[in-house]
Amino acid sequence: LRTMFKLASLAGPVRAVSRASMRNFASAPEMVKFEIVGEKKNVALVSLNRPKALNALCGQLMTELRDILLQLDADKSVGAIVLTGSERAFAAGADIKEMIDRPFHATFGGRFLEEWTAISDINKPVIAAVNGFALGGGCELAMMCDIIYAGDKAQFGQPEINIGTIPGAGGTQRWARTAGKSVAMEMCLTGERMGAKEAKEVGIVSKVFPAAETVPAAIKLGEKIAAQSPLIVQICKEAVNRAYETTLREGLHVERRLFHATFATKDRKEGMTAFAEKRAPAWKGE
């Protein structure tokens, strides 16, 4: 609840979170914080805030994160979202203490972890600014984001094999699609960690920075994206995601149709007109 008030004071009124979530926020420590940043105040900086547990992903944290991201996705003043942790840990993994005594029937029947993928459904670009540990669920959370910027001391990994289980929020799938089968197998079958430089080499990370520069660089990237037409950014994100999730033939078909669809927008006409007139475009988001 405090988080909602914080956003309201920075970016004006926002829609209320669900009553259940409000009760949870009111009765438990805040595990996710955020602020509106950037020169034009159009980038949201969302920070995981469970430092004693190295931002381990528990149910409360993921519920708060989901609700905040949905709020920001609906806020027209926000053009991009940066998700980060601390310099020591982006997120060191899922909270194992919450899982130890979970029975199979409740885990399988309750579709455990399914709601964690909500970040993948956010329409606005989400940039992960990763410092320190991004392990297990933390690594999976980073890979759910659209772009990853990493500090030079960041470490990525899927150590679930070491505790008798496997990744459950996309680790086996996203590593394979991004870095290839061999790298995915090695990471998931050994539980070994990968540094930021190697993560960039295999395609998990976009750019690597000194730790102190990671979040500022991610914010600058968010500002650059937020300067574009929000409607066209959303369409472009959908096209790239389709390339990641389907065959080349189907992806090319979807891309071409989405390209055609831009010709029904005012922003496409404005962008091309501004280019011809050698001026900056004035986006309408229409």
Side-chain angles (χ1 to χ4, degrees), residues 92-126:
D95 193 329
I96 304 305
K97 292 180 181 178
E98 285 192 346
M99 298 185 187
I100 290 175
D101 295 322
R102 286 189 65 90
F104 168 76
H105 70 273
T107 304
F108 186 83
R111 304 172 81 168
F112 183 52
L113 297 187
E114 189 170 293
E115 72 278 8
W116 284 31
T117 61
I119 189 172
S120 303
D121 298 324
I122 299 299
N123 292 315
K124 292 175 181 175
V126 182

